[in-house]
Amino acid sequence: SHLRARCSCSRFAALAAAAVVVADRQATAAAEVNQHVATARLLMSECPDLQAQPDEVVELWHEVSRMFLQAHSMIYVDPGLALRSTLGVLVHFLQGAPTHVLHICPASLMRYFKKAGDCAVAFGDPARCRLLMQWGTTYRVMALSKWYLRITSNPAWNKETLPPEALNFDPEYQGSYDLALQALHRQHAVQPRPLLQAHDAGTVQILAVCLYKENAELP
């Protein structure tokens, strides 16, 4: 009876372990599906022009976005790892992708620089955050320009026909970006100093006088 009990316990433990493995695999698969769905929705919102690009370009942006989101999620448990990971993804993408591919989705790149800057602050490196956000401003201006050109490209779109949320370019992100840059500038910019007044006027020695007009006379 003890042997049968041990065998039953062993079978139960094996079944429980198998169930845990299956549950882990299902959870991993569900998480991957959620990441794909989240990435697709983000890029559809941030980069409307991406849908018209070749499949390999779309897949590249989706892969980079997934990798960046995964790297940035570590900010809540390990800011140092999140900073290294987000910078790794960002630098690899900027160095490896052609310029015209990068310029397809400047709003996404603007967000990547902001998120990497957030990781730097969480890690205790606000000066690096300021550098990253200043760099990201380039793509921020480009994204604003593309949004304005898109909004004004259709004569049927105007203040009366567009919904209120479409009349401004991502106001929440723009506001947080501006406030962050202002705070970082106050803290880390070169502080103005009073001008020092010289006590001795000194002497001035004229070594040469250049006259560019013909027959010009000295004053």
Side-chain angles (χ1 to χ4, degrees):
S1 61
H2 292 292
L3 179 60
R4 288 195 297 269
R6 286 197 297 270
C7 291
S8 298
C9 290
S10 298
R11 287 196 295 270
F12 178 77
L15 290 173
V20 170
V21 171
V22 172
D24 287 343
R25 290 178 178 175
Q26 291 176 344
T28 301
E32 291 179 353
V33 171
N34 289 337
Q35 289 175 1
H36 281 268
V37 172
T39 300
R41 289 176 177 174
L42 281 174
L43 287 176
M44 186 180 299
S45 173
E46 298 171 358
C47 187
D49 297 336
L50 184 61
Q51 307 307 316
Q53 301 300 318
D55 292 342
E56 59 271 17
V57 174
V58 175
E59 181 56 33
L60 173 62
W61 268 102
H62 276 250
E63 181 64 22
V64 171
S65 183
R66 285 193 296 269
M67 293 172 61
F68 196 90
L69 288 177
Q70 291 175 356
H72 182 262
S73 66
M74 295 302 297
I75 189 176
Y76 303 104
V77 293
D78 191 341
L81 177 59
L83 177 59
R84 293 190 297 272
S85 301
T86 52
L87 289 181
V89 174
L90 189 56
V91 171
H92 182 76
F93 186 39
L94 293 175
Q95 291 180 342
T99 302
H100 73 277
V101 173
L102 297 175
H103 290 178
I104 294 173
C105 301
S108 298
L109 284 173
M110 171 195 71
R111 287 169 171 81
Y112 295 166
F113 276 99
K114 173 67 165 57
K115 291 180 182 295
D118 292 341
C119 292
V121 168
F123 185 60
D125 193 353
R128 186 185 299 271
C129 174
R130 184 183 182 219
L131 172 64
L132 289 168
M133 294 191 63
Q134 287 175 332
W135 192 354
T137 299
T138 303
Y139 297 101
R140 180 187 176 194
V141 174
M142 188 182 302
L144 178 61
S145 175
K146 293 191 71 169
W147 168 82
Y148 181 78
L149 291 175
R150 183 170 180 270
I151 290 296
T152 57
S153 63
N154 190 336
W157 292 348
N158 52 56
K159 292 183 178 181
E160 286 70 31
T161 58
L162 286 172
E165 62 271 16
L167 297 177
N168 296 285
F169 173 63
D170 201 350
E172 180 181 358
Y173 222 88
Q174 298 305 312
S176 64
Y177 213 106
D178 284 337
L179 292 173
L181 281 176
Q182 291 170 13
L184 290 167
H185 179 77
R186 288 193 298 267
Q187 184 68 25
H188 299 283
V190 176
Q191 300 299 321
R193 297 181 180 179
L195 295 177
L196 298 178
Q197 296 182 355
H199 298 288
D200 186 4
T203 59
V204 177
Q205 183 180 6
I206 300 177
L207 300 179
V209 176
C210 298
L211 302 177
Y212 297 97
K213 296 181 179 180
E214 295 183 0
N215 302 322
E217 297 182 354
L218 289 174

